[in-house]
Amino acid sequence: MTKVSEFLEKMYKEPSPELENEMLEEIIMRANFLSYINRPDNGKTDIFSINMLLTDDKRLYLPVFTDAKELAKWPIPGDMDTIELNFDNYSEIILDHTHDIEGLVINPFGKSYIISEEWLRELKAMKEERLEVRELKIPVNSKILLSEPEKFPTMLAEEISKCCDEIGTINRLWLLEMTTEKDESWLLVVDFKGDKNIIFPEINYAAKNYLGMRYLDMISYDDEFAKKSVENHKPFYYKTK
């Protein structure tokens, strides 16, 4: 059973906004889905079209399936090809045909979940904004609350650590929770040698699938604010080589 399937099972038993946010995080950042496709030239080229689903009230949706078991619930000829795509692929298809397709429907013949075209657009924009490299800049007189993570994001820290091992010029890293008047984010203080315009995007890319519903803000340890922020905190990463 895939992660999204597990979330759908839980959602149908005990729905909650928190659980739905976790599921959306998985859908947007990590999950792949299956779809039936038509190949007009018998697979001789990469050209294909995805089978759509027309509801009783004449609404057209792009159906996607978490696994082969869910896919098999759609009574379609068995000789059809399938394809595995992610959120970015499907949202691009739908948003390129906004007047035709109402949205995305996950597991339409089981425990289903619908993401409308409008909502899909918002989620796509949110993901793009989150994946931008955010180098922390502190506005004058801004109110900022920093604290140790209540629940340390182990997977996020592991992926960042692996990336920094590969970069080879990162000496130490600190990870804190940061709350400002605008939003909540992870604050990563980076003690490094090299070009931050190269290093920060690499760290951001490694972290992108493990951020939860937060952004990742990064700041160099050389910054005075950064040094004060981590005075009473231990790094979670030290250079080992």
Side-chain angles (χ1 to χ4, degrees):
M1 182 179 285
T2 67
K3 281 264 191 180
V4 176
S5 299
E6 290 175 6
F7 279 123
L8 286 170
E9 288 284 343
K10 293 176 184 176
M11 282 285 292
Y12 269 73
K13 289 177 182 176
E14 293 184 36
S16 71
E18 294 78 15
L19 187 60
E20 186 170 22
N21 281 340
E22 286 185 49
M23 181 175 71
L24 283 169
E25 176 74 17
E26 181 68 20
I27 290 169
I28 295 167
M29 303 302 293
R30 290 181 283 277
N32 288 330
F33 298 94
L34 296 170
S35 288
Y36 278 121
I37 59 171
N38 296 301
R39 292 190 182 274
D41 53 6
N42 296 318
K44 293 177 182 177
T45 68
D46 293 332
I47 298 171
F48 65 87
S49 61
I50 295 180
N51 273 39
M52 297 293 167
L53 185 67
L54 187 65
T55 63
D56 292 338
D57 56 354
K58 307 300 181 186
R59 293 175 179 269
L60 193 66
Y61 286 91
L62 196 162
V64 302
F65 302 86
T66 53
D67 50 53
K69 184 179 177 182
E70 288 295 331
L71 186 71
K73 292 178 182 179
W74 196 2
I76 269 183
D79 59 349
M80 289 198 68
D81 288 334
T82 60
I83 195 168
E84 185 174 313
L85 300 172
N86 60 26
F87 172 83
D88 293 336
N89 304 136
Y90 288 118
S91 60
E92 184 178 351
I93 293 168
I94 292 171
L95 297 177
D96 282 348
H97 300 83
T98 51
H99 298 297
D100 304 314
I101 307 172
E102 297 282 340
L104 188 76
V105 55
I106 300 170
N107 293 347
F109 304 104
K111 291 181 172 64
S112 61
Y113 187 78
I114 293 175
I115 304 177
S116 69
E117 177 268 324
E118 183 179 357
W119 195 12
L120 202 68
R121 190 182 299 279
E122 291 177 13
L123 292 171
K124 185 174 184 291
M126 183 185 76
K127 178 178 179 178
E128 288 172 351
E129 182 183 353
R130 189 192 305 174
L131 293 183
E132 288 180 1
V133 177
R134 300 204 337 171
E135 184 182 350
L136 184 63
K137 293 179 174 61
I138 310 298
V140 178
N141 298 323
S142 59
K143 295 179 180 178
I144 296 175
L145 176 63
L146 295 172
S147 61
E148 289 279 354
E150 188 175 336
K151 184 179 179 183
F152 191 77
T154 305
M155 292 180 70
L156 172 62
E158 286 177 353
E159 290 302 313
I160 291 175
S161 297
K162 288 178 191 175
C163 174
C164 290
D165 283 342
E166 291 176 4
I167 293 171
T169 60
I170 313 297
N171 298 314
R172 294 174 294 173
L173 295 170
W174 292 260
L175 188 63
L176 301 174
E177 286 184 349
M178 182 170 72
T179 304
T180 68
E181 295 169 344
K182 289 184 177 180
D183 57 28
E184 294 182 349
S185 65
W186 300 113
L187 174 63
L188 187 69
V189 178
V190 187
D191 178 12
F192 68 98
K193 292 181 180 179
D195 186 348
K196 69 181 178 183
N197 294 319
I198 296 174
I199 290 171
F200 281 18
E202 286 191 33
I203 294 173
N204 190 70
Y205 185 80
K208 67 177 184 177
N209 290 337
Y210 302 91
L211 294 175
M213 299 306 285
R214 296 172 184 260
Y215 298 100
L216 179 67
D217 285 303
M218 286 183 271
I219 188 170
S220 169
Y221 179 70
D222 291 339
D223 187 276
E224 199 59 37
F225 171 82
K227 288 180 179 176
K228 288 181 180 179
S229 298
V230 299
E231 274 181 353
N232 300 312
H233 302 283
K234 292 183 180 180
F236 74 88
Y237 174 88
Y238 289 93
K239 184 178 179 182
T240 55
K241 297 178 182 178

